[in-house]
């Protein structure tokens, strides 16, 4: 387990979202949380044709941040993210790496509690990837891939037994 997960806001992120991310990352990964000063979205990551930002380019941007041994970085943006071949994604991470990004854009809904719960699930999912966890077929696992927000709603925020065990070995 890393000692610290750093939350890196891109732009202005609702403090309530940041606080709930701090809570869920602490309880899921048993680590301390540090909230970094916001950065601007890198303009070269923007695709005018798609009106979205490239998630791989955002990840490359944050790999330039200096992080200490055993740290993870979760970046958070309000902007819409894509990877080639998909209309949008909720987030992306380096599997068995350090860096992850989530977008709040497609998770928003009129129901604030539901919105926050979605954000928390996608954050745990992406940080799970940085611990080397891959997608899970099981319905009782946060590592299940969500193609849309309804699928995010349907999965739990916790790991299945196998993934929980893998995580505890880290
Ligand atoms: Zn995933
Ligand atoms: Zn699982």
């Amino acid at each position: 387990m890393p000692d610290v997960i750093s939350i890196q806001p891109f732009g202005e992120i609702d403090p309530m979202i940041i606080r709930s991310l701090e809570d869920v990352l602490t309880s899921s990964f048993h680590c301390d949380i540090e909230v970094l000063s916001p950065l601007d979205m890198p303009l070269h990551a923007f695709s005018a044709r798609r009106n979205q930002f490239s998630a791989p380019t955002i990840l490359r941007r944050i790999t330039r941040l200096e992080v200490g041994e055993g740290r993870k970085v979760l970046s958070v943006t309000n902007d819409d993210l894509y990877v080639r071949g998909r209309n949008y994604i909720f987030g992306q991470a380096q599997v068995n790496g350090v860096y992850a990004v989530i977008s709040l854009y497609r998770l928003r809904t009129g129901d604030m509690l539901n919105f926050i719960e979605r954000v928390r699930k996608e954050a745990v999912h992406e940080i799970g990837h940085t611990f080397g966890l891959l997608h899970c077929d099981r319905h009782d696992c946060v590592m299940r891939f969500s193609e849309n927000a309804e699928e995010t709603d349907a999965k739990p925020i916790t790991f299945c037994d196998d993934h929980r065990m893998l995580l505890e070995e880290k």
Side-chain angles (χ1 to χ4, degrees):
M1 288 288 169
D3 297 321
V4 179
I5 297 176
S6 302
I7 297 175
Q8 173 63 70
F10 275 97
E12 209 173 302
I13 305 297
D14 185 337
M16 193 163 38
I17 293 291
I18 299 286
R19 268 197 306 278
S20 65
L21 285 175
E22 290 183 67
D23 287 348
V24 76
L25 294 174
T26 303
S27 58
S28 301
F29 300 102
H30 312 293
C31 57
D32 292 330
I33 306 294
E34 166 192 62
V35 181
L36 304 172
S37 310
L39 292 174
D40 291 331
M41 284 295 267
L43 287 181
H44 66 278
F46 184 70
S47 162
R49 187 176 59 81
R50 301 186 55 133
N51 201 25
Q52 290 173 305
F53 285 83
S54 154
T57 307
I58 304 288
L59 281 183
R60 275 199 299 279
R61 166 70 185 88
I62 54 173
T63 56
R64 304 211 316 257
L65 299 172
E66 299 269 333
V67 291
E69 182 77 8
R71 290 210 173 199
K72 307 276 187 200
V73 180
L74 177 71
S75 35
V76 186
T77 174
N78 291 309
D79 289 302
D80 200 14
L81 296 179
Y82 76 95
V83 290
R84 207 181 305 166
R86 299 205 80 89
N87 289 336
Y88 64 87
I89 52 169
F90 297 136
Q92 200 180 37
Q94 295 178 321
V95 174
N96 229 338
V98 173
Y99 302 94
V101 59
I102 58 167
S103 161
L104 310 184
Y105 191 87
R106 305 269 174 175
L107 301 173
R108 287 190 191 281
T109 157
D111 181 339
M112 193 62 184
L113 286 180
N114 186 15
F115 171 49
I116 289 175
E117 194 59 12
R118 289 173 174 179
V119 174
R120 289 157 57 100
K121 286 176 186 176
E122 291 307 323
V124 171
H125 178 101
E126 295 306 337
I127 291 295
H129 280 315
T130 68
F131 281 103
L133 305 188
L134 301 175
H135 284 154
C136 189
D137 289 339
R138 291 176 56 158
H139 288 276
D140 64 342
C141 187
V142 71
M143 292 313 295
R144 193 175 172 85
F145 175 70
S146 315
E147 196 151 355
N148 53 52
E150 288 67 39
E151 290 181 10
T152 303
D153 289 338
K155 71 184 177 184
I157 198 162
T158 48
F159 296 95
C160 68
D161 293 343
D162 292 346
H163 274 136
R164 167 58 53 199
M165 244 148 53
L166 276 174
L167 203 55
E168 277 163 10
E169 288 165 9
K170 299 283 173 180

